[in-house]
Amino acid sequence: MTMRTNLKMRRMERGMKQADLADLVNVRRETIGRLEQGQYCPSLRLAMDIAKIFDTTVEDLFSFDDEE
């Protein structure tokens, strides 16, 4: 499965840097970068915290494509 996300687009629409978002959800900036590149699957807690920041749902930010 491949994770897809529109996190970077949402962050940039708000004029936020990766470090700004990282500070808001108490993770390292590198974690946000890996999330945006689909290299890291967030915990449910982290996904919910990020969704809350952007006033949206987890499903709107993150999805999976089945590769079979």
Side-chain angles (χ1 to χ4, degrees), residues 10 47-48 50-52 54-62:
R10 292 295 187 116
M48 291 177 77
I50 292 171
K52 187 175 181 179
F54 294 107
D55 193 32
T56 191
T57 63
V58 171
E59 294 86 359
D60 183 55
L61 291 174
F62 302 102

Side-chain angles (χ1 to χ4, degrees):
M1 274 193 278
T2 302
M3 185 181 77
R4 298 208 181 270
T5 181
N6 62 10
L7 181 57
K8 183 175 183 177
M9 179 187 70
R10 292 295 187 116
R11 178 179 58 76
M12 293 182 82
E13 285 174 352
R14 297 242 178 138
M16 298 173 79
K17 296 180 181 179
Q18 287 180 343
D20 298 330
L21 180 56
D23 288 344
L24 289 172
V25 294
N26 298 313
V27 297
R28 296 174 56 200
R29 183 204 54 80
E30 291 83 3
T31 301
I32 300 301
R34 292 184 68 211
L35 280 170
E36 290 179 353
Q37 295 171 5
Q39 297 176 343
Y40 177 74
C41 292
S43 67
L44 179 57
R45 176 62 186 239
L46 178 55
M48 291 177 77
D49 287 349
I50 292 171
K52 187 175 181 179
I53 297 288
F54 294 107
D55 193 32
T56 191
T57 63
V58 171
E59 294 86 359
D60 183 55
L61 291 174
F62 302 102
S63 62
F64 289 93
D65 288 338
D66 292 330
E67 292 180 350
E68 293 184 315

